[in-house]
Amino acid sequence: MQLHPESMKEFKKRILPCVFRHWSDADVVLVSERLVSSIHAIMATTAGVIVVSSCSGDVINDRHWLATYFVIWYGVPYMTYDIFAMYLSHYHRFRVKGHEDYKQHSLRTVNSFIRREFLLVLHHIALLTILLPVTLFFRKDQGDFFIGCLFLTELSTPFVSLGKILIQLSLQDCWPHKANGGMVLFTFFMCRIALFPYMYWMYGRHYGIPLYSVPFHLSLATNLGNSCILAPQVYWFVLLCRKGYRLYKRSRTPEPSPAVTVTDNSKDD
């Protein structure tokens, strides 16, 4: 029996309030979104490992069916769902805070969400409008290895989600939260930033050219596409480092720090 993300979300929305009755709708929606994101990230990472390991012999011509089918049957539905889930989390967060415009859904609330989460919305739309056509139509049945590498970028998502859930449970000062923060930085850097030089190096190794020559061997559109994917990852990594540094400084001060707002919905991945 196949359980779709939307049904899993509804299940968690019914269960979580029974377990944590003091949580608001914003808290339940936030945790539900994070849990679904983690499940999808685990599936994407697993698919990526399978594709990369199967196609590492010939990174250009080796094929694996998951490279295409995962994008069609899981990637696209999830990205579409996640935009809606982020909007719901945004809506309930501001509704709990008592904003007058958030008494009901409207074009004003949608516009506010897009303005506040513009980079994330743009990231999701770009994946739907660029990655999908490239995967299905413009690769000429080549490069499954690199599609698998892009799946691996989701490895950091479960750690980011776990950090949010630990804050939700008021465990932000315990050692698991600090250890998880280290894993967030490590996995984010390795799978969302260092991964791109690695893909260029694998491409260069296939054609017998040095790493510094690979950008000149690729088309301008390919380099621009990779840059557009990499740029927000670098931006988010800098934000993660700054946040980690602030938490480190706060942990070194003797004064008790105020509790972090549990309904903060800023996505660092």
Side-chain angles (χ1 to χ4, degrees):
M1 178 179 179
Q2 187 177 11
L3 190 62
H4 294 284
E6 190 65 32
S7 60
M8 289 189 291
K9 178 173 177 291
E10 289 300 321
F11 173 77
K12 295 177 181 67
K13 284 183 66 177
R14 293 178 182 274
I15 294 298
L16 289 177
C18 297
V19 180
F20 303 100
R21 296 183 181 278
H22 62 283
W23 284 8
S24 66
D25 288 342
D27 300 329
V28 174
V29 171
L30 173 62
V31 173
S32 299
E33 179 195 355
R34 291 296 177 176
L35 289 175
V36 175
S37 296
S38 297
I39 293 171
H40 173 267
I42 293 171
M43 294 172 62
T45 302
T46 303
V49 171
I50 293 172
V51 173
V52 168
S53 60
S54 299
C55 302
S56 58
D58 185 340
V59 298
I60 300 299
N61 298 308
D62 282 352
R63 303 298 312 282
H64 195 285
W65 62 270
L66 270 176
T68 298
Y69 281 87
F70 187 86
V71 172
I72 298 174
W73 297 110
Y74 289 95
V76 171
Y78 170 76
M79 287 299 168
T80 305
Y81 148 81
D82 199 42
I83 294 176
F84 179 66
M86 287 191 300
Y87 166 73
L88 284 182
S89 186
H90 166 87
Y91 173 81
H92 285 290
R93 178 160 55 103
F94 282 90
R95 186 178 183 183
V96 166
K97 291 180 180 179
H99 288 255
E100 290 294 326
D101 293 339
Y102 287 82
K103 291 183 177 180
Q104 61 183 3
H105 299 283
S106 65
L107 289 177
R108 186 185 296 271
T109 60
V110 173
N111 184 56
S112 175
F113 161 70
I114 293 175
R115 285 189 287 106
R116 288 179 177 272
E117 305 290 350
F118 176 77
L119 191 57
L120 275 170
V121 174
L122 181 63
H123 171 71
H124 281 60
I125 292 176
L127 291 177
L128 289 172
T129 58
I130 298 176
L131 181 61
L132 175 62
V134 168
T135 302
L136 296 181
F137 307 115
F138 301 120
R139 289 194 297 123
K140 299 179 181 178
D141 295 330
Q142 293 181 327
D144 283 14
F145 172 86
F146 301 105
I147 299 298
C149 287
L150 292 178
F151 291 164
L152 295 178
T153 60
E154 291 293 330
L155 179 61
S156 63
T157 299
F159 298 103
V160 175
S161 298
L162 177 59
K164 292 291 184 179
I165 293 174
L166 289 174
I167 292 175
Q168 186 88 2
L169 298 174
S170 300
L171 297 175
Q172 63 268 20
D173 294 322
C174 66
W175 70 265
H177 183 263
K178 297 176 182 178
N180 182 73
M183 288 302 299
V184 169
L185 292 176
F186 176 74
T187 55
F188 200 100
F189 177 79
M190 294 301 296
C191 294
R192 291 183 178 249
I193 296 178
L195 181 68
F196 286 85
Y198 171 73
M199 289 192 292
Y200 273 59
W201 177 75
M202 288 295 291
Y203 181 92
R205 192 182 73 164
H206 176 82
Y207 286 105
I209 58 178
L211 177 61
Y212 63 84
S213 297
V214 172
F216 304 100
H217 194 265
L218 295 170
S219 66
L220 178 61
T222 301
N223 287 312
L224 286 177
N226 287 328
S227 299
C228 290
I229 297 174
L230 179 60
Q233 313 305 325
V234 174
Y235 171 74
W236 286 323
F237 183 71
V238 171
L239 293 184
L240 283 171
C241 290
R242 291 173 59 185
K243 181 178 179 180
Y245 179 69
R246 289 197 303 268
L247 292 175
Y248 173 77
K249 287 181 62 178
R250 190 176 66 183
S251 67
R252 303 287 292 180
T253 57
E255 295 82 11
S257 58
V260 179
T261 305
V262 297
T263 54
D264 180 13
N265 189 38
S266 58
K267 274 194 172 181
D268 297 321
D269 56 333

